[in-house]
Amino acid sequence: MSLLTAAKAKSPDLGYTPDFVLTAMGPYIKDIHRKGVRVISNAGGMNPLACAAGLQEVAKKADVDLKIAVVAGDDLMGEKDNLKGAGITDMEGGKRFPENIHSMNAYLGARPISRALDLGADIVVTGRCVDSGIVLGPLIHSFGWNRDEFDLLAAGSLAGHLIECGAQCTGGIFTDWHTIPDWHNMGFPIVECSSDGHFTLSKPPDTGGLISFGTVAEQLVYEIGNPQRYLLPDVTCDFSQVSITEIPGIEGGAVKIHGAKGSPPSTFYKVNATYLDGFRATAVCPVVGPKAVEKGRQTAESILKRTRLIFSQLGYEDYCAVNIQILGSEDTYGPHAKKKIDDGPREAVIWLAVHHKQKKAVEIFSREIAPAGTGMAPGLTAVVGGRPRVSPVMKPFFFLYPKRNVKINIFLNGQHVETFQEDLTFTSDAVVSLDSPKTDDELKDLPCGPHTYRLEDLAYTRSGDKGNSANIGVIARHPLYYPYLKKTLTAQALEDYFQHLLEREQPEEKLVTRYELPGIHGLNFVLKNSLGGGGIASLRSDPQGKAFGQMLLDFQIKNVPDLKSLIE
């Protein structure tokens, strides 16, 4: 959203996702009209009215008449001055409201989308809203689900959560990637829902990918926190007892899903604000030849030493942060990197990222990369993408904002038709006391044995991000493996394993929390302060923790019996 804010600042006609208009909709607009397909998208970004105007232009050129609705009101920048003195703090760290706010958007829910469909919209464009709301909105419209039918709302939200990242539930980024056919023709998910909240998930015939327990379960745990308290604007979801059952005999696979539970949502919206915190640049340079890793590291360190010397001569402060990684040396694995023999790989890639308060200082860094090609190590073959681009560092700031203070407007074909008011009748801000995971007696009596397994042999994994926190979901490949995973994969075990990536603010702070999903025989770990700031604020090569799940696959499950024989 901060990038779209910058685009809108350059031109009032920008600030949305143009690919949605020109690529996703433009070529198919006549078929969409002819078949009566209704489309809902949050591609409006910071400028949903401009996005709708672009769609109207496409429809006009194709000579089709479409009712295009806009849900607006998520942009809270108009409240910036009022919020500065309101004592607002960050949801997790308690940090004070930043001075230099760049963007500020509430995560709206599904009800305004449903209302726009009630008003006859063929296409609904929103700004910031929860991704799952794009699916829940049409379900509310179609089935008339009431605000207090929380289990149904949770089921619809789960359907949206599973398909919101497209092919990620049809085999994309799956642990067993080598079993997924035809990546070049990946099928996207299809959800078929009934009014009782049950739904099936499949994909189009004659497409690549796979729908299975594993592919869908991985997506269930993607980018969630506490599965018993998955907070959304329309419902608080409990996904801990969700079950996923494969449906036999369907080409490409299909599953049926049920078991989501719901409870009242809060009276607040979650708001994602971003604020400017200096500037950054990243140099990426391949290095070839003997001792490539050593050459790459010395090159990166020398560039920093050189630029710091220039800074001291000009009176600039030092960098706020730097990050040197030599890709190919397994820097990301820290102490778990495989030991190298001889001189290590003969090919590596320098990843050198810097953060400084002053733009001119980062421009100096960017300028001083090229001299390394003639004055430092042999075998430096290129600077990928040319001179590193200097860009602003936008850091996230999450807080809660009362729903009653947010004015949501619905437009139809450019005209304001209705101000939508959230009904707060069925909401609650009571802190629900959840049952702590029981100390499983059976874990104490689990048989031991002489065998050791890599986690990949026993489980699927998937990881994602929320701000500066990452989550790693772990799902047992067989129910009989689940007790052994629970016994071995404790929060402390994960904290120890990823210690090299965690940034502790307090000496005794616990940075990893474990949650259980017995319905899919899964565990979910939330790793706080694990992404170096997260998103575009992070200087790491993996700013969203996408590789964390992959890194965990080498974790050793020790002193267990022959588990494979248990399921034969």
Side-chain angles (χ1 to χ4, degrees), residues 389-439:
R389 182 172 62 90
V390 178
S391 58
V393 173
M394 293 295 174
K395 290 190 174 180
F397 182 88
F398 296 100
F399 65 95
L400 298 176
Y401 190 70
K403 289 177 178 176
R404 66 177 182 273
N405 294 347
V406 177
K407 183 180 179 181
I408 301 173
N409 290 309
I410 298 176
F411 297 81
L412 201 58
N413 289 346
Q415 301 297 313
H416 179 263
V417 294
E418 189 170 299
T419 296
F420 179 87
Q421 190 67 42
E422 281 281 12
D423 185 344
L424 302 181
T425 304
F426 301 106
T427 57
S428 174
D429 295 320
V431 177
V432 178
S433 178
L434 300 174
D435 293 334
S436 299
K438 297 178 181 178
T439 302

Side-chain angles (χ1 to χ4, degrees), residues 207-463:
T207 61
L210 175 70
I211 299 284
S212 69
F213 168 82
T215 63
V216 177
E218 279 195 24
Q219 189 59 21
L220 171 56
V221 297
Y222 179 67
E223 293 187 345
I224 66 170
N226 184 347
Q228 288 185 276
R229 292 278 294 167
Y230 189 67
L231 305 177
L232 294 171
D234 302 287
V235 62
T236 297
C237 302
D238 180 355
F239 295 155
S240 63
Q241 298 293 339
V242 166
S243 66
I244 301 170
T245 307
E246 294 184 2
I247 303 172
I250 297 179
E251 184 267 327
V255 296
K256 57 183 178 181
I257 301 158
H258 72 278
K261 297 293 183 181
S263 58
S266 83
T267 61
F268 295 88
Y269 286 123
K270 179 181 177 181
V271 178
N272 177 18
T274 61
Y275 63 97
L276 180 65
D277 187 37
F279 298 86
R280 60 167 293 164
T282 303
V284 180
C285 310
V287 187
V288 179
K291 300 184 178 179
V293 171
E294 186 178 338
K295 289 191 296 185
R297 199 173 305 281
Q298 186 168 331
T299 297
E301 291 170 349
S302 297
I303 290 171
L304 292 178
K305 188 174 182 179
R306 176 183 175 89
T307 53
R308 281 173 166 142
L309 180 61
I310 296 172
F311 291 175
S312 67
Q313 293 171 344
L314 294 175
Y316 291 166
E317 294 180 0
D318 193 9
Y319 294 107
C320 302
V322 300
N323 182 45
I324 299 174
Q325 289 177 249
I326 307 301
L327 306 182
S329 72
E330 298 196 5
D331 272 357
T332 303
Y333 279 82
H336 313 296
K338 292 182 178 178
K339 296 188 183 304
K340 303 295 190 301
I341 58 173
D342 301 326
D343 295 331
R346 293 176 294 177
E347 293 179 331
V349 177
I350 301 169
W351 180 282
L352 175 58
V354 299
H355 173 201
H356 199 285
K357 294 294 185 183
Q358 292 180 258
K359 186 176 183 180
K360 287 185 178 180
V362 184
E363 289 172 343
I364 290 170
F365 165 83
S366 179
R367 187 185 68 210
E368 292 300 323
I369 300 300
T374 56
M376 296 188 187
L380 192 72
T381 64
V383 180
V384 177
R387 177 178 288 190
R389 182 172 62 90
V390 178
S391 58
V393 173
M394 293 295 174
K395 290 190 174 180
F397 182 88
F398 296 100
F399 65 95
L400 298 176
Y401 190 70
K403 289 177 178 176
R404 66 177 182 273
N405 294 347
V406 177
K407 183 180 179 181
I408 301 173
N409 290 309
I410 298 176
F411 297 81
L412 201 58
N413 289 346
Q415 301 297 313
H416 179 263
V417 294
E418 189 170 299
T419 296
F420 179 87
Q421 190 67 42
E422 281 281 12
D423 185 344
L424 302 181
T425 304
F426 301 106
T427 57
S428 174
D429 295 320
V431 177
V432 178
S433 178
L434 300 174
D435 293 334
S436 299
K438 297 178 181 178
T439 302
D440 296 286
D441 292 334
E442 75 264 21
L443 298 185
K444 300 176 183 177
D445 301 325
L446 276 177
C448 296
H451 295 273
T452 296
Y453 291 93
R454 293 174 61 250
L455 181 61
E456 187 174 10
D457 297 328
L458 307 180
Y460 309 106
T461 65
R462 181 164 299 183
S463 53

